[in-house]
Structures are given as C-alpha cells and as structure tokens.
C-alpha cells in the first residue's frame, strides 16, 4: 500500500482539551488573537524603520523643487504591487512621476548601471526603489556620480556594506530596531507613503488612502509568502475585506477573469488565482502590463489588460506543463534510482519558469531541485527550491567558487554559472547532497495539531476555527487526525482526479473530499478502517451549510501512529 504518503507529527493527543486552545498554543498565539481590534492598534510606527526620516525629508525636498522622480520596481508580484502603490500615492498628491520595471531576462534583478543611464536620460534626479536595491551597490554608486540620489525601500537581506544611497529603508538592516522583520517590499513602501501622507494630506484623506491600498498590500504579502503574524496578520485580515470589495477597476476585472467575481477573497484566492495572473507578465513578457492593470482608471482598459494577463497565464501553464514533462523524462522511472538532489537542464526553457519547474519537482519527489536554462550570454541560470532539512543557500555557499553570482534563502535560491564550470559543479553538488541528506529527510512530514473525536468535529467548530484566520505562511490552517474511521462510500470526481469519501466515526457520518488523490482509489476499500489527516472545511451548497472534511493523507488503521508523534 502506498499510504500514508507522509510522516505524521501529531502535537496533541489529548482529545479532552479544547481545540481552539490547542491551536493557539501550537502557534504560540495569545488568547487575545481572537479579540476584535483596530488596524492601527497592530501597526508599527513607520519611523521605527531605519532611514525613514531621511527618506521622507529627501522626497519632500524633491516635491518642493519639482524634481523628476522615478520609481524603480521589480517583476514579481511584490515588486508590481509595491510599484502600483507608489504610483497611487503620487497620483493622490497630484505629483507626476515615472516608473521603470526591469525585464526578467534582459535586465535581471535589481538596479544596473544601464538602468541609471536610462533614468538620467529622463532627466530624473531621484530614484525610489521598491522591493529591491539593497544589493545594488555599484549601480547606486554610479547614480551618485551622475547626480542622481537613490532612496531604497526593500526587505531583502543586505549582502556586505549598505549601498551609498540617501536612505536605505529596510527592516532587515543589521542596525534595524524595527520590531517585526518579516514584511514584504509592498509593506515597506506602504510605511513610506504612510509617513509621507501624514505630512502631505489632510488626516482623513491619508487614512482613507492607506485603507484603500490594503488590497495591494494583501496581494504582495501573500504572493511573497510572508508569515501571517504580527502586523502582517492584521494587514491581511483587513486587506482581504478591502480586496473583496475593491474599487480598483484592474482588480475588479482580474477577479472576474479568475472566476472570483462576487466571492469572498481568501489567501488561497490570492495565492492560486490572482497572483499567478499578475506574475505571468513578468515571467513571460513585461511586468509593466500588470502594473498598468493595477493602476488603470478605465474599466474598458482594465478588461483588456485582465483578459490579456489571463491568456498569458494560460500560456504559462501550458509551457510549464511541457517543461515539467521534459524534466520528468530526464529522470529515472524508479524513484529509488534518484539522486538526493535533482538537477535538470534545458537550454530552451524560459528563465521565468524554471523556478516553477523546481518547485513542482521538489513537491513531487521531496528533495532539493535546481532547474537550469541558458541566458543570452551562454551562461547557465538556475533556480533552486528545497526542503526544510536542506538550507539551499547555505549549501550553495560551499560551492560559490563556481558561480558568477548567487543568492537566496533557506528554501529558494538563484544562481548563474558559466557553461564550462557546470559539469564539475553538478557532480560535486550531487556528491555533497548524497552525503548530507538521509533517507528520512526525503520523506515529507505533516504537522497535525491534534487528534480529535466526533464531539469536536462539527459546523460550529469549523466556523470557530475559521475565525483564527486568515491562514497562510506562519499561521497554517489547522490539521487534525481521526483514528479508526470506516469508509462507507467512495466516488471518483473530475474523471478520477479527486476522490469523495463518506466516512463513519462512531455514530457520525462525514462527507470528505481528497483532492488530487485518484491514484489511491485502488488502495482503499469499502468498509476499510483507516486513520485520516484532515482540515475542517465549510461547504455551502444550495443554501445548506455543513462541515466538510478536506483530507490531507490516509493511513491504514493498523499503522502505528505513535511512532509519528
């Protein structure tokens, strides 16, 4: 039997304990987490960010002198929403600015000297970066020589000395006293416009402006996989409501093409339906298209751009599937023949999609993956995704003599390597991973909040759990385990892709859905006793609301769960 698919780590096995109490304890959240609050009560002062005062002073000076200002963004969703936010702010105060986004393949990430030349040609004397800049030392040094000041707003980790900018607004500076470091680029930009708005707009106007922009902040935070803790939790909790009723034509039309029109927006809505469409332009063409959509004031223009992004996303999905099929064809059919790190390469893959290929392979085989393609200079550009037990950037650092450049964090990284050094790097890195990783590391693990009994699984409980949300990174949706349930009925859905199970526990019957599980149909039998790991969902259908179990994994009941606790 191929089940269970994962190792189960069950935190609480005492079914007499209140479920909500257990969940809060597991996430180290205080009981006050459930209390209602004003957004302002959970926000940190913008001036706690380093160099905020310097940045505000320089922008006010530029406005007073009528200087040309250029906003320089990035091609991912965080960079796109950050750029749109800044443009909305300058539109609000009636001050014209230009903006530039790099092209993923032609320009790469961050400010470059060639971009500075482009900005100088526009007559600009001030650049405001959003979601980038902290590693652009040489370009910012070059800008200073050209008489152009730079204000950096970024959240990425500094590498070496800080760039010689007028202000470096970044919560992750080593000298930063900002109380919560894990904010995305859009939130750093939000803090800047907060500080500026307080000086340039009437109080009621700037507060309303900040509230109206929470839709952008929410998309940026969720898309950049920031932990939904501290002020991020508050921003997203309020922001999802703003996004549900947004007045921005671009977001209204984007929701329509994503099939979300009229529906409450959740983190899943953002992560799986909105963000991929906004990302599609930067992955395949120009990220500028997504910014134009977000700042559009015309319904007709927004309809056109949203439709275009939807088509680009469909193209991205088809390309991604083709690439994935090619990558799978390079790998041994027998899982046991795989190395402990997977490295795949194809000269013709689009650089904007290789990270998605790495991510899909990582999830499928649960081991680190690096996917490579060639850039215009003939170098190999790689995108890596990794598992919890293998810090990919630390591992790559041991081999940095091979790279032209690299960077990242625990679970994701990017690197560029010359073609002549690639074979040796590949051989050495595979050897290293085979030594470091154990077979146990390559079995995915799920963390289950609690064993539960039938008196704890009902609609009221599911609704109470929903109040702990929004769920996402850092505050995952709670997962539970039922022991010894009986399969009473089983139906394939979507041509066998998914399974619907009716299970019995004691005298209770539960409807359960198990997504992407069709391959396990023959491993389950009517009347069989199993243990299930599941989430408590709420199913609204034709005016009826009831609890629905969303299955994560299934184990035969004779499987000793105690070994997994």
């Amino acid at each position: 039997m191929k089940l269970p698919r994962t190792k189960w780590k069950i935190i609480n096995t005492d079914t007499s304990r209140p479920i909500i109490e257990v969940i809060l304890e597991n996430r180290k959240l205080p009981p006050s987490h459930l209390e209602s609050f004003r957004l302002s009560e959970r926000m940190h002062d913008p001036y706690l960010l380093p160099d905020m005062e310097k940045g505000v002073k320089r922008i006010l000076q530029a406005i007073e002198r009528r200087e040309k200002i250029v906003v320089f963004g990035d091609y991912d969703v965080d960079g796109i929403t950050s750029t749109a936010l800044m443009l909305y702010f300058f539109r609000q105060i009636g001050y014209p600015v230009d903006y530039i986004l790099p092209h993923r393949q032609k320009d790469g990430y961050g400010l470059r000297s060639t971009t500075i030349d482009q900005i100088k040609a526009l007559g600009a004397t001030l650049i405001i970066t959003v979601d980038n800049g902290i590693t652009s030392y040489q370009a910012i040094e070059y800008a200073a020589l050209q008489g152009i000041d730079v204000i950096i707003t970024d959240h990425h980790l500094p590498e070496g000395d800080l760039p010689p900018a007028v202000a470096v607004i970044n919560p992750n500076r080593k000298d930063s006293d900002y109380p919560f470091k894990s904010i995305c680029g859009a939130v750093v930009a939000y803090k800047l416009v907060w500080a500026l708005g307080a000086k340039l707009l009437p109080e009621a106007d700037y507060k309303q402006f900040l509230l109206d922009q929470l839709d952008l902040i929410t998309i940026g935070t969720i898309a950049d996989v920031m932990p939904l803790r501290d002020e991020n939790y508050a921003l997203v909790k309020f922001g999802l409501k703003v996004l549900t009723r947004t007045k921005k034509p671009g977001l209204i039309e984007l929701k329509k093409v994503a099939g979300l029109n009229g529906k409450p927006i959740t983190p899943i809505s953002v992560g799986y339906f909105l963000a991929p469409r906004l990302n599609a332009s930067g992955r395949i063409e120009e990220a500028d298209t997504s910014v134009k959509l977000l700042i559009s004031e015309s319904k007709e223009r927004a309809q056109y751009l949203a439709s275009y992004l939807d088509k680009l996303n469909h193209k991205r999905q088809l390309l991604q599937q083709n690439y994935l099929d090619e990558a799978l064809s390079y790998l041994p059919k027998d899982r046991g023949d795989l190395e402990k790190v997977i490295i795949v390469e194809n000269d013709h893959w689009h650089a904007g999609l290789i990270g998605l290929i790495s991510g899909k392979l990582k999830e499928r085989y649960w081991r680190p993956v690096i996917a490579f393609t060639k850039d215009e200079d003939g170098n190999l550009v790689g995108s890596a995704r990794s598992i919890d037990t293998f810090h990919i950037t630390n591992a790559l650092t041991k081999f940095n003599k091979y790279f032209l450049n690299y960077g990242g964090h625990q679970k994701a990284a990017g690197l560029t390597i010359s073609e002549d050094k690639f074979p040796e790097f590949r051989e050495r890195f595979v050897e290293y991973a085979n030594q470091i990783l154990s077979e146990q590391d390559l079995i995915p693990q799920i963390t289950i909040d609690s064993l539960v009994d039938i008196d704890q699984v009902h609609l009221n409980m599911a609704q109470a759990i929903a109040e702990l949300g929004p769920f996402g990174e850092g505050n995952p949706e709670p997962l539970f385990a039922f022991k010894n349930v009986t399969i009473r009925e089983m139906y394939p859905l979507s041509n066998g892709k998914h399974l619907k199970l009716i299970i019995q526990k004691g005298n209770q019957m539960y409807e359960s859905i198990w997504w992407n599980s069709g391959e396990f149909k023959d491993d389950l039998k009517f009347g069989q006793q199993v243990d299930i790991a599941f989430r408590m969902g709420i199913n609204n259908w034709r005016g009826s609301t009831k609890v629905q179990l969303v299955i994560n994994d299934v184990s035969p009941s004779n499987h000793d769960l105690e070994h997994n606790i």
Side-chain angles (χ1 to χ4, degrees), residues 390-400 429 432:
F390 191 81
H391 194 304
I392 188 66
T393 302
N394 286 352
L396 288 171
T397 298
K398 298 179 184 299
F399 299 86
N400 61 10
F429 196 72
Y432 171 76

Side-chain angles (χ1 to χ4, degrees), residues 277-291:
R277 287 170 169 82
L278 290 172
N279 241 337
S281 61
R283 288 192 184 282
I284 296 177
E285 294 182 356
E286 298 273 0
D288 186 46
T289 307
S290 293
V291 173

Side-chain angles (χ1 to χ4, degrees), residues 253-263 273-274 277 310:
E253 298 305 323
L254 189 68
K255 288 196 295 180
K256 284 181 183 176
V257 298
L260 300 173
N261 197 29
K263 297 179 181 177
F273 298 100
L274 299 181
R277 287 170 169 82
D310 191 49

Side-chain angles (χ1 to χ4, degrees), residues 206-460:
Y206 100 81
K207 286 185 175 179
Q208 186 61 50
F209 174 82
L210 292 175
L211 184 64
D212 290 343
Q213 306 314 313
L214 287 179
D215 45 15
L216 297 175
I217 300 307
T218 295
I219 294 172
T221 298
I222 293 172
D224 226 43
V225 201
M226 291 292 106
L228 299 189
R229 307 297 291 253
D230 202 279
E231 62 182 341
N232 284 346
Y233 175 80
L235 286 164
V236 171
K237 191 174 184 72
F238 281 82
L240 288 170
K241 296 173 184 175
V242 175
L243 185 52
T244 297
R245 59 174 190 269
T246 184
K247 296 175 183 176
K248 292 183 174 68
L251 287 176
I252 291 170
E253 298 305 323
L254 189 68
K255 288 196 295 180
K256 284 181 183 176
V257 298
L260 300 173
N261 197 29
K263 297 179 181 177
I265 303 300
T266 66
I268 289 175
S269 309
V270 175
Y272 286 90
F273 298 100
L274 299 181
R277 287 170 169 82
L278 290 172
N279 241 337
S281 61
R283 288 192 184 282
I284 296 177
E285 294 182 356
E286 298 273 0
D288 186 46
T289 307
S290 293
V291 173
K292 287 175 180 174
L293 172 77
L294 293 179
I295 64 172
S296 175
E297 296 178 280
S298 156
K299 177 182 177 181
E300 291 72 22
R301 178 71 170 153
Q303 282 178 332
Y304 168 77
L305 291 169
S307 175
Y308 185 72
L309 286 178
D310 191 49
K311 290 171 185 170
L312 268 187
N313 189 53
H314 183 62
K315 179 181 177 182
R316 186 271 306 169
Q317 289 171 321
L318 292 174
L319 278 174
Q320 179 181 318
Q321 189 57 52
N322 289 338
Y323 293 176
L324 185 59
D325 290 343
E326 288 178 338
L328 290 170
S329 74
Y330 304 153
L331 302 176
K333 296 290 182 283
D334 188 336
R335 192 185 184 99
D337 294 333
L338 285 168
E339 303 285 4
K340 291 179 181 174
V341 61
I342 292 173
I343 298 178
V344 290
E345 187 265 327
N346 186 306
D347 294 353
H348 305 295
W349 287 344
H350 196 294
L353 300 183
I354 55 174
L356 299 176
I357 301 308
S358 294
K360 290 290 184 183
L361 292 175
K362 183 209 80 171
E363 290 302 322
R364 186 180 185 115
Y365 295 111
W366 200 252
R367 60 198 66 212
V369 179
I370 314 178
F372 284 93
T373 189
K374 271 193 180 171
D375 65 14
E376 294 174 344
D377 298 322
N379 296 313
L380 286 147
V381 178
S383 185
R385 299 292 182 270
S386 194
I387 56 179
D388 297 339
T389 51
F390 191 81
H391 194 304
I392 188 66
T393 302
N394 286 352
L396 288 171
T397 298
K398 298 179 184 299
F399 299 86
N400 61 10
K401 67 178 182 180
Y402 294 104
F403 310 140
L404 297 170
N405 57 64
Y406 79 106
H409 47 82
Q410 181 173 351
K411 294 184 181 179
L415 63 155
T416 303
I417 183 169
S418 60
E419 188 175 18
D420 61 312
K421 292 185 178 178
F422 180 68
E424 185 178 347
F425 159 72
R426 181 178 192 152
E427 182 180 346
R428 297 282 182 268
F429 196 72
V430 169
E431 285 176 1
Y432 171 76
N434 285 342
Q435 291 171 0
I436 295 296
L437 287 163
S438 70
E439 293 298 332
Q440 284 296 306
D441 290 331
L442 306 181
I443 302 172
Q445 176 177 285
I446 56 173
T447 300
I448 295 169
D449 283 277
S450 185
L451 282 177
V452 288
D453 215 334
I454 55 174
D455 61 342
Q456 297 170 303
V457 182
H458 47 76
L459 180 60
N460 288 343

